[in-house]
Amino acid sequence: NAGVMQNPRHLVRRRGQEARLRCSPMKGHSHVYWYRQLPEEGLKFMVYLQKENIIDESGMPKERFSAEFPKEGPSILRIQQVVRGDSAAYFCASSLSQGLSSNQPQHFGDGTRLSIL
Amino acid sequence: GDSVTQMEGPVTLSEEAFLTINCTYTATGYPSLFWYVQYPGEGLQLLLKATKADDKGSNKGFEATYRKETTSFHLEKGSVQVSDSAVYFCALSDAASGGSYIPTFGRGTSLIVHP
């Protein structure tokens, strides 16, 4: 299955620790989006990346959160010094392209459920 | 900016009932419209899409018609099954017409189907 792969599926951290969430996009996809979903709420956009570039991080908190999508390997969402409020499901999505041939649908991973003790 | 408004859930139906989940949108350009479905513990899956006015997207018995005059994209199914129980998200993408390249999602509508 060449779908979007996220790991781990579940991650438990204590307050103050670091959380690293990984996302491998679908084969051939070079656009990655990260979203956060809180219970009973919709998806909140966090960051949009292409290979080696952050295109839009307007939805990401200015502190403690960072994202990267290196030339080789998965995209990483990193949360430093986690707090209880970071508990949520984090979803990664990938798409084929943007621009004139855009409006491509996004393909989602099954998410990482982050729990902060 | 762009926005998507969905009817609030949960929507609770008996098996074989008719389903409508309303979705309206505002967009700066001429967006493409999508419905995604999220089953418990999983990510969103594309259900159907429409890219221009009067297009009808359909899949698995679900359908939605792109209504530009009413800026709506309501999801319908003639006879729901218990297995359709999930959260449904309406979304738009405005990138090709010069709008934001970040897709906009509604808050989601939970559907519960009883046997």
Short mmCIF file of all heavy atoms in Angstrom, two decimals, chain A residues 9 33 35 37 40-43 45 48 55-56 91 98-100 102-103 105-106 108-110 113, chain B residues 30-32 34 36 38 41-44 46 49 89 93-96 101-103 105-108:
data_model
loop_
_atom_site.label_atom_id
_atom_site.label_comp_id
_atom_site.label_asym_id
_atom_site.label_seq_id
_atom_site.Cartn_x
_atom_site.Cartn_y
_atom_site.Cartn_z
N ARG A 9 1.43 5.61 15.66
CA ARG A 9 -0.02 5.83 15.69
C ARG A 9 -0.43 6.47 17.01
O ARG A 9 -1.37 7.27 17.07
CB ARG A 9 -0.76 4.50 15.52
CG ARG A 9 -0.69 3.93 14.11
CD ARG A 9 -1.40 4.81 13.08
NE ARG A 9 -2.77 5.12 13.44
CZ ARG A 9 -3.81 4.35 13.16
NH1 ARG A 9 -3.66 3.21 12.54
NH2 ARG A 9 -5.04 4.73 13.49
N TYR A 33 1.08 18.48 4.13
CA TYR A 33 0.34 19.37 5.02
C TYR A 33 0.20 18.68 6.38
O TYR A 33 -0.04 17.48 6.45
CB TYR A 33 -1.07 19.63 4.49
CG TYR A 33 -1.16 20.14 3.07
CD1 TYR A 33 -0.98 19.29 1.98
CD2 TYR A 33 -1.46 21.48 2.80
CE1 TYR A 33 -1.08 19.75 0.68
CE2 TYR A 33 -1.57 21.95 1.50
CZ TYR A 33 -1.37 21.08 0.45
OH TYR A 33 -1.47 21.54 -0.85
N TYR A 35 -2.01 18.86 10.01
CA TYR A 35 -3.22 19.39 10.63
C TYR A 35 -3.30 18.86 12.07
O TYR A 35 -2.78 17.79 12.38
CB TYR A 35 -4.49 18.90 9.91
CG TYR A 35 -4.65 19.39 8.49
CD1 TYR A 35 -4.08 18.70 7.43
CD2 TYR A 35 -5.40 20.53 8.21
CE1 TYR A 35 -4.23 19.14 6.13
CE2 TYR A 35 -5.57 20.98 6.91
CZ TYR A 35 -4.99 20.27 5.87
OH TYR A 35 -5.15 20.69 4.57
N GLN A 37 -6.24 18.00 15.06
CA GLN A 37 -7.67 17.79 15.29
C GLN A 37 -7.90 17.56 16.77
O GLN A 37 -7.39 16.61 17.35
CB GLN A 37 -8.19 16.60 14.47
CG GLN A 37 -9.70 16.42 14.58
CD GLN A 37 -10.19 15.24 13.75
OE1 GLN A 37 -9.54 14.21 13.66
NE2 GLN A 37 -11.35 15.40 13.12
N GLU A 40 -14.15 16.67 18.90
CA GLU A 40 -15.36 17.42 18.55
C GLU A 40 -15.07 18.69 17.74
O GLU A 40 -15.95 19.53 17.60
CB GLU A 40 -16.16 17.81 19.81
CG GLU A 40 -16.47 16.65 20.74
CD GLU A 40 -17.23 15.53 20.06
OE1 GLU A 40 -18.11 15.85 19.23
OE2 GLU A 40 -16.94 14.34 20.33
N GLU A 41 -13.87 18.79 17.21
CA GLU A 41 -13.55 19.95 16.38
C GLU A 41 -13.07 19.50 15.01
O GLU A 41 -12.76 18.34 14.78
CB GLU A 41 -12.47 20.80 17.04
CG GLU A 41 -12.93 21.47 18.33
CD GLU A 41 -11.91 22.48 18.82
OE1 GLU A 41 -11.06 22.90 18.02
OE2 GLU A 41 -11.98 22.84 20.01
N GLY A 42 -13.03 20.43 14.10
CA GLY A 42 -12.56 20.13 12.75
C GLY A 42 -11.06 20.14 12.68
O GLY A 42 -10.36 20.17 13.69
N LEU A 43 -10.58 20.08 11.46
CA LEU A 43 -9.14 20.11 11.23
C LEU A 43 -8.62 21.54 11.25
O LEU A 43 -9.20 22.41 10.61
CB LEU A 43 -8.83 19.50 9.86
CG LEU A 43 -9.02 18.01 9.72
CD1 LEU A 43 -8.79 17.60 8.29
CD2 LEU A 43 -8.08 17.26 10.63
N PHE A 45 -5.42 23.70 10.15
CA PHE A 45 -4.20 23.69 9.37
C PHE A 45 -3.04 24.19 10.21
O PHE A 45 -3.17 25.16 10.96
CB PHE A 45 -4.36 24.59 8.13
CG PHE A 45 -3.07 24.95 7.46
CD1 PHE A 45 -2.42 24.03 6.68
CD2 PHE A 45 -2.51 26.21 7.62
CE1 PHE A 45 -1.22 24.35 6.05
CE2 PHE A 45 -1.32 26.55 7.00
CZ PHE A 45 -0.67 25.61 6.23
N TYR A 48 2.40 23.86 5.74
CA TYR A 48 2.44 23.29 4.39
C TYR A 48 3.90 23.30 3.93
O TYR A 48 4.56 24.34 3.98
CB TYR A 48 1.55 24.10 3.47
CG TYR A 48 1.75 23.92 1.98
CD1 TYR A 48 1.92 22.66 1.41
CD2 TYR A 48 1.73 25.03 1.14
CE1 TYR A 48 2.09 22.52 0.04
CE2 TYR A 48 1.89 24.90 -0.24
CZ TYR A 48 2.08 23.64 -0.78
OH TYR A 48 2.23 23.50 -2.13
N ILE A 55 6.46 26.27 3.04
CA ILE A 55 5.75 27.20 2.18
C ILE A 55 4.84 28.11 3.00
O ILE A 55 4.74 29.31 2.74
CB ILE A 55 4.93 26.46 1.11
CG1 ILE A 55 5.80 25.48 0.34
CG2 ILE A 55 4.24 27.46 0.19
CD1 ILE A 55 6.99 26.13 -0.34
N ASP A 56 4.17 27.53 3.98
CA ASP A 56 3.22 28.30 4.78
C ASP A 56 3.14 27.67 6.16
O ASP A 56 2.77 26.52 6.27
CB ASP A 56 1.84 28.30 4.10
CG ASP A 56 0.85 29.23 4.76
OD1 ASP A 56 0.89 29.38 6.00
OD2 ASP A 56 0.00 29.80 4.06
N PHE A 91 -2.67 14.98 11.97
CA PHE A 91 -2.78 14.32 10.69
C PHE A 91 -1.85 14.96 9.66
O PHE A 91 -1.67 16.18 9.63
CB PHE A 91 -4.22 14.40 10.16
CG PHE A 91 -5.18 13.54 10.93
CD1 PHE A 91 -5.92 14.08 11.97
CD2 PHE A 91 -5.32 12.20 10.62
CE1 PHE A 91 -6.80 13.28 12.70
CE2 PHE A 91 -6.20 11.40 11.34
CZ PHE A 91 -6.93 11.94 12.38
N GLN A 98 0.61 21.56 -7.01
CA GLN A 98 -0.10 22.81 -6.80
C GLN A 98 -0.04 23.61 -8.10
O GLN A 98 0.43 23.13 -9.11
CB GLN A 98 0.51 23.61 -5.65
CG GLN A 98 0.07 23.11 -4.29
CD GLN A 98 -1.40 23.35 -4.02
OE1 GLN A 98 -2.10 24.00 -4.80
NE2 GLN A 98 -1.90 22.82 -2.93
N GLY A 99 -0.52 24.80 -8.07
CA GLY A 99 -0.46 25.64 -9.26
C GLY A 99 -1.64 25.41 -10.17
O GLY A 99 -2.71 25.04 -9.73
N LEU A 100 -1.44 25.62 -11.45
CA LEU A 100 -2.56 25.54 -12.38
C LEU A 100 -3.18 24.15 -12.43
O LEU A 100 -4.35 24.00 -12.74
CB LEU A 100 -2.09 25.95 -13.79
CG LEU A 100 -1.71 27.42 -13.95
CD1 LEU A 100 -1.25 27.70 -15.37
CD2 LEU A 100 -2.89 28.32 -13.60
N SER A 102 -3.60 22.36 -9.92
CA SER A 102 -3.86 22.05 -8.51
C SER A 102 -5.33 21.71 -8.29
O SER A 102 -6.02 21.26 -9.18
CB SER A 102 -3.44 23.22 -7.64
OG SER A 102 -4.28 24.31 -7.91
N ASN A 103 -5.76 21.98 -7.03
CA ASN A 103 -7.05 21.48 -6.58
C ASN A 103 -7.07 19.97 -6.60
O ASN A 103 -8.11 19.35 -6.73
CB ASN A 103 -8.20 22.05 -7.40
CG ASN A 103 -8.37 23.54 -7.17
OD1 ASN A 103 -7.90 24.08 -6.18
ND2 ASN A 103 -9.02 24.20 -8.08
N PRO A 105 -6.97 16.49 -4.76
CA PRO A 105 -7.40 16.11 -3.42
C PRO A 105 -6.20 15.74 -2.57
O PRO A 105 -5.16 15.35 -3.06
CB PRO A 105 -8.28 14.89 -3.68
CG PRO A 105 -7.79 14.33 -4.96
CD PRO A 105 -7.37 15.51 -5.78
N GLN A 106 -6.38 15.91 -1.29
CA GLN A 106 -5.35 15.51 -0.36
C GLN A 106 -5.59 14.07 0.07
O GLN A 106 -6.72 13.63 0.23
CB GLN A 106 -5.36 16.42 0.85
CG GLN A 106 -5.00 17.86 0.51
CD GLN A 106 -4.84 18.70 1.75
OE1 GLN A 106 -5.56 18.53 2.72
NE2 GLN A 106 -3.90 19.62 1.73
N PHE A 108 -4.79 11.49 3.14
CA PHE A 108 -4.46 11.58 4.54
C PHE A 108 -3.88 10.29 5.10
O PHE A 108 -4.28 9.19 4.69
CB PHE A 108 -5.71 11.93 5.36
CG PHE A 108 -6.10 13.38 5.27
CD1 PHE A 108 -6.78 13.86 4.17
CD2 PHE A 108 -5.78 14.26 6.30
CE1 PHE A 108 -7.14 15.20 4.07
CE2 PHE A 108 -6.14 15.60 6.21
CZ PHE A 108 -6.81 16.06 5.11
N GLY A 109 -3.00 10.45 6.07
CA GLY A 109 -2.58 9.32 6.89
C GLY A 109 -3.60 9.07 7.99
O GLY A 109 -4.56 9.81 8.14
N ASP A 110 -3.36 8.01 8.75
CA ASP A 110 -4.29 7.65 9.83
C ASP A 110 -4.05 8.45 11.11
O ASP A 110 -4.75 8.26 12.09
CB ASP A 110 -4.21 6.16 10.13
CG ASP A 110 -4.91 5.33 9.06
OD1 ASP A 110 -5.76 5.90 8.34
OD2 ASP A 110 -4.60 4.13 8.96
N ARG A 113 -1.98 9.96 17.47
CA ARG A 113 -2.69 10.45 18.63
C ARG A 113 -1.69 10.72 19.75
O ARG A 113 -1.10 9.78 20.27
CB ARG A 113 -3.75 9.45 19.10
CG ARG A 113 -5.07 9.64 18.34
CD ARG A 113 -5.37 8.42 17.47
NE ARG A 113 -6.54 8.66 16.63
CZ ARG A 113 -6.50 8.71 15.29
NH1 ARG A 113 -5.36 8.51 14.66
NH2 ARG A 113 -7.58 8.94 14.60
N TYR B 30 -12.74 30.52 -7.82
CA TYR B 30 -13.67 29.51 -8.31
C TYR B 30 -13.15 28.17 -7.79
O TYR B 30 -12.35 27.51 -8.45
CB TYR B 30 -13.68 29.53 -9.84
CG TYR B 30 -14.84 28.82 -10.50
CD1 TYR B 30 -15.39 29.33 -11.66
CD2 TYR B 30 -15.36 27.64 -9.98
CE1 TYR B 30 -16.45 28.68 -12.29
CE2 TYR B 30 -16.41 26.99 -10.60
CZ TYR B 30 -16.95 27.52 -11.76
OH TYR B 30 -17.99 26.88 -12.39
N PRO B 31 -13.61 27.77 -6.62
CA PRO B 31 -12.97 26.63 -5.97
C PRO B 31 -13.42 25.28 -6.52
O PRO B 31 -14.46 25.16 -7.16
CB PRO B 31 -13.43 26.77 -4.51
CG PRO B 31 -14.79 27.39 -4.63
CD PRO B 31 -14.69 28.34 -5.81
N SER B 32 -12.63 24.26 -6.22
CA SER B 32 -13.08 22.88 -6.30
C SER B 32 -13.61 22.49 -4.94
O SER B 32 -13.14 22.98 -3.91
CB SER B 32 -11.92 21.96 -6.70
OG SER B 32 -11.52 22.20 -8.02
N PHE B 34 -15.00 19.37 -2.18
CA PHE B 34 -14.74 17.98 -1.81
C PHE B 34 -15.59 17.58 -0.61
O PHE B 34 -15.94 18.42 0.24
CB PHE B 34 -13.26 17.80 -1.41
CG PHE B 34 -12.26 18.28 -2.43
CD1 PHE B 34 -11.84 19.61 -2.43
CD2 PHE B 34 -11.73 17.42 -3.36
CE1 PHE B 34 -10.92 20.06 -3.36
CE2 PHE B 34 -10.81 17.86 -4.29
CZ PHE B 34 -10.39 19.18 -4.30
N TYR B 36 -15.01 14.64 2.38
CA TYR B 36 -14.15 13.62 2.95
C TYR B 36 -14.94 12.90 4.04
O TYR B 36 -15.82 13.48 4.68
CB TYR B 36 -12.91 14.24 3.59
CG TYR B 36 -11.87 14.74 2.61
CD1 TYR B 36 -11.97 16.01 2.05
CD2 TYR B 36 -10.77 13.96 2.27
CE1 TYR B 36 -11.01 16.48 1.17
CE2 TYR B 36 -9.80 14.42 1.39
CZ TYR B 36 -9.93 15.68 0.85
OH TYR B 36 -8.98 16.15 -0.03
N GLN B 38 -14.36 10.41 7.58
CA GLN B 38 -13.41 9.94 8.59
C GLN B 38 -14.08 8.89 9.46
O GLN B 38 -15.01 9.20 10.21
CB GLN B 38 -12.90 11.09 9.46
CG GLN B 38 -11.85 10.67 10.48
CD GLN B 38 -11.38 11.83 11.34
OE1 GLN B 38 -12.12 12.77 11.61
NE2 GLN B 38 -10.12 11.77 11.78
N GLY B 41 -10.93 6.38 14.42
CA GLY B 41 -9.54 5.96 14.52
C GLY B 41 -8.74 6.06 13.24
O GLY B 41 -7.59 5.60 13.19
N GLU B 42 -9.33 6.64 12.21
CA GLU B 42 -8.63 6.71 10.92
C GLU B 42 -8.49 8.15 10.46
O GLU B 42 -9.05 9.08 11.04
CB GLU B 42 -9.38 5.90 9.87
CG GLU B 42 -9.49 4.42 10.19
CD GLU B 42 -10.19 3.65 9.08
OE1 GLU B 42 -10.41 4.21 7.99
OE2 GLU B 42 -10.49 2.47 9.32
N GLY B 43 -7.73 8.32 9.37
CA GLY B 43 -7.62 9.64 8.75
C GLY B 43 -8.77 9.89 7.80
O GLY B 43 -9.66 9.06 7.64
N LEU B 44 -8.76 11.06 7.20
CA LEU B 44 -9.81 11.42 6.25
C LEU B 44 -9.58 10.71 4.92
O LEU B 44 -8.45 10.57 4.46
CB LEU B 44 -9.83 12.93 6.02
CG LEU B 44 -10.56 13.78 7.05
CD1 LEU B 44 -9.83 13.79 8.37
CD2 LEU B 44 -10.75 15.20 6.54
N LEU B 46 -10.95 10.77 0.85
CA LEU B 46 -11.76 11.49 -0.13
C LEU B 46 -12.97 10.66 -0.51
O LEU B 46 -12.85 9.50 -0.90
CB LEU B 46 -10.91 11.81 -1.37
CG LEU B 46 -11.65 12.53 -2.49
CD1 LEU B 46 -12.04 13.93 -2.04
CD2 LEU B 46 -10.80 12.61 -3.75
N LYS B 49 -15.76 14.57 -5.28
CA LYS B 49 -15.36 15.94 -5.54
C LYS B 49 -16.09 16.48 -6.78
O LYS B 49 -16.63 15.71 -7.58
CB LYS B 49 -13.85 16.05 -5.75
CG LYS B 49 -13.35 15.42 -7.04
CD LYS B 49 -11.86 15.71 -7.22
CE LYS B 49 -11.36 15.16 -8.55
NZ LYS B 49 -9.92 15.47 -8.76
N PHE B 89 -16.66 15.57 6.28
CA PHE B 89 -16.08 16.91 6.19
C PHE B 89 -16.26 17.45 4.77
O PHE B 89 -15.90 16.80 3.79
CB PHE B 89 -14.58 16.90 6.49
CG PHE B 89 -14.23 16.61 7.91
CD1 PHE B 89 -14.05 15.31 8.35
CD2 PHE B 89 -14.07 17.65 8.82
CE1 PHE B 89 -13.73 15.04 9.68
CE2 PHE B 89 -13.75 17.40 10.14
CZ PHE B 89 -13.58 16.09 10.57
N SER B 93 -10.93 23.87 -2.23
CA SER B 93 -9.57 24.23 -2.61
C SER B 93 -9.66 25.29 -3.69
O SER B 93 -10.35 25.10 -4.69
CB SER B 93 -8.82 23.01 -3.13
OG SER B 93 -7.52 23.37 -3.54
N ASP B 94 -8.96 26.39 -3.45
CA ASP B 94 -9.12 27.57 -4.27
C ASP B 94 -7.86 27.91 -5.06
O ASP B 94 -7.76 28.96 -5.66
CB ASP B 94 -9.48 28.74 -3.35
CG ASP B 94 -10.28 29.82 -4.03
OD1 ASP B 94 -10.66 29.62 -5.20
OD2 ASP B 94 -10.50 30.87 -3.41
N ALA B 95 -6.88 27.01 -5.03
CA ALA B 95 -5.55 27.37 -5.51
C ALA B 95 -5.53 27.70 -7.00
O ALA B 95 -4.90 28.65 -7.43
CB ALA B 95 -4.57 26.26 -5.21
N ALA B 96 -6.24 26.93 -7.80
CA ALA B 96 -6.13 27.09 -9.25
C ALA B 96 -6.69 28.41 -9.72
O ALA B 96 -6.34 28.88 -10.80
CB ALA B 96 -6.83 25.94 -9.96
N TYR B 101 -3.82 28.37 -1.37
CA TYR B 101 -3.50 26.98 -1.69
C TYR B 101 -3.68 26.06 -0.50
O TYR B 101 -3.39 24.89 -0.58
CB TYR B 101 -2.07 26.87 -2.23
CG TYR B 101 -1.09 27.73 -1.47
CD1 TYR B 101 -0.75 27.45 -0.15
CD2 TYR B 101 -0.51 28.84 -2.07
CE1 TYR B 101 0.12 28.25 0.54
CE2 TYR B 101 0.36 29.65 -1.38
CZ TYR B 101 0.69 29.35 -0.07
OH TYR B 101 1.55 30.15 0.60
N ILE B 102 -4.13 26.63 0.61
CA ILE B 102 -4.40 25.80 1.78
C ILE B 102 -5.87 25.41 1.73
O ILE B 102 -6.74 26.28 1.81
CB ILE B 102 -4.11 26.54 3.09
CG1 ILE B 102 -2.68 27.09 3.09
CG2 ILE B 102 -4.37 25.64 4.27
CD1 ILE B 102 -1.63 26.02 2.93
N PRO B 103 -6.19 24.12 1.60
CA PRO B 103 -7.59 23.72 1.56
C PRO B 103 -8.30 24.15 2.84
O PRO B 103 -7.71 24.18 3.92
CB PRO B 103 -7.52 22.20 1.45
CG PRO B 103 -6.18 21.92 0.86
CD PRO B 103 -5.28 22.99 1.41
N PHE B 105 -11.40 23.37 5.41
CA PHE B 105 -12.30 22.30 5.85
C PHE B 105 -13.41 22.87 6.73
O PHE B 105 -13.19 23.78 7.52
CB PHE B 105 -11.54 21.25 6.64
CG PHE B 105 -10.65 20.37 5.78
CD1 PHE B 105 -9.38 20.78 5.44
CD2 PHE B 105 -11.10 19.14 5.33
CE1 PHE B 105 -8.56 19.98 4.66
CE2 PHE B 105 -10.29 18.34 4.54
CZ PHE B 105 -9.02 18.76 4.21
N GLY B 106 -14.59 22.26 6.62
CA GLY B 106 -15.64 22.52 7.59
C GLY B 106 -15.33 21.80 8.90
O GLY B 106 -14.35 21.07 9.01
N ARG B 107 -16.18 22.02 9.90
CA ARG B 107 -15.93 21.43 11.22
C ARG B 107 -16.26 19.95 11.29
O ARG B 107 -15.94 19.29 12.27
CB ARG B 107 -16.71 22.19 12.29
CG ARG B 107 -16.19 23.59 12.56
CD ARG B 107 -17.11 24.33 13.50
NE ARG B 107 -17.21 23.67 14.80
CZ ARG B 107 -16.43 23.92 15.84
NH1 ARG B 107 -15.48 24.82 15.73
NH2 ARG B 107 -16.60 23.29 16.99
N GLY B 108 -16.92 19.44 10.27
CA GLY B 108 -17.28 18.03 10.29
C GLY B 108 -18.68 17.81 10.85
O GLY B 108 -19.12 18.53 11.75
#
